[in-house]
Amino acid sequence: MNVLLALTACAAHFPRVEEPTLDLEPITIGVPFARNQLFEAQLPLHFFLHDGLEHPRLMNDGGFGVAPAFSFIATLRMETSQSTPIRPPSYLPRLRLQLVDVLPLAWRSASHADRLLVSLGVMAAHHSNGQKGCALRDGALLPGATSDFDCGWPPGVPRSGELNLDSGSFTEHLLGAELLLRWLSFPVDGGASRGGATGKHGVDWNVPCTFSGCIEPAMRRRYGESAIRWLASGELLAAGHHRAIPFRAREASDARLRLTASGAVHLGLGQGHSPYGDAPFDLAYLTRFEHGGSGGPFVRYHHGRDPLNIRFEERWDVWLVGYLVELTGPPMLEGPGH
């Protein structure tokens, strides 16, 4: 038992700057070009219980890896409104298990080595905005209320069926599964990939339960019983070794252009509600630093419904510009001499 505990303690860690990872959300801070909005930020914290991609020869020889991880993902939005400048944040603690198979592919030429990463993931998560107010606009929870929709309205205030976007409660428990395919092209003499493409398809299911944190039946009929999520991304080497910042001594290993399209479609809604979704499109220029990690500017266009928890019935068609940070390293191929 002591040996098992010691091995678990050694395996569990925060991602290191040189460590290869697969499909971890980056840190992003952006400025939306929308009325009265100051910034939007996604602030994830990841913790590996074990990283099966760490084996130094895995990319060379191929093989199987297991990567269980815990993540805490917060999304914040600040506006210029004097009354409620900070919209209810979204936070999502998630436990995810990834089963990854690395498949060496036939070389396209004598100077390239290709790899296909196939990942099957399963996850359990809780999504909430941490609010306790009535779910409906201008309403207040009645004494002894057992539902976020048990609301009353002050005299003279008309009863509303619209959601309370300022302090309305929103919580859900999720179970999900996803399939990810990533093709990477490495130089045959070793190093980081020179380009690649990723496709991902997943399904989230809102657990219909009655204990704390479950989504309300009335909210589930509006938000949906399930969501289909998808992603397509391509990355290409744009520059080799160079100064990370002109006229400064800090060096960069390389720089990459990444184009990403992703989205979600919500299904299983109640009578009178139709499926809906959103689709962000991102273009990022990422500099990979010599001592690990990468970062760079991005531009995004978000089209469709607002993904920020209880705001899901509002449209949010908006451009954003910002900065993206990835604290981990890319997959690497060892040279023939290693």
Side-chain angles (χ1 to χ4, degrees), residues 286-335:
L286 300 178
T287 298
R288 186 166 62 88
F289 300 109
E290 281 195 325
H291 298 293
S294 60
F298 73 88
V299 58
R300 173 184 302 162
Y301 177 65
H302 183 279
H303 180 75
R305 298 288 186 91
D306 193 335
L308 190 62
N309 51 61
I310 202 170
R311 299 181 65 88
F312 62 87
E313 292 188 340
E314 303 288 311
R315 287 196 68 90
W316 202 56
D317 300 328
V318 62
W319 288 91
L320 298 90
V321 294
Y323 196 84
L324 180 154
V325 176
E326 294 177 336
L327 299 178
T328 57
M332 304 285 286
L333 193 72
E334 300 285 351

Side-chain angles (χ1 to χ4, degrees), residues 70-153:
F70 174 79
S71 300
F72 185 89
I73 305 167
T75 304
L76 309 175
R77 184 182 298 167
M78 180 170 280
E79 301 183 348
T80 57
S81 168
Q82 294 183 357
S83 58
T84 54
I86 301 178
R87 290 295 182 183
S90 169
Y91 65 87
L92 189 147
R94 179 190 68 201
L95 185 63
R96 182 172 68 171
L97 173 66
Q98 289 179 298
L99 308 176
V100 184
D101 196 9
V102 179
L103 305 174
L105 302 178
W107 291 355
R108 291 180 293 116
S109 70
S111 60
H112 292 85
D114 293 354
R115 298 293 182 268
L116 179 65
L117 280 62
V118 181
S119 171
L120 176 65
V122 292
M123 69 92 176
H126 172 71
H127 179 203
S128 176
N129 66 350
Q131 301 296 309
K132 298 297 184 183
C134 166
L136 298 175
R137 192 183 69 180
D138 299 328
L141 289 176
L142 297 172
T146 58
S147 168
D148 295 333
F149 289 81
D150 292 341
C151 306
W153 281 261

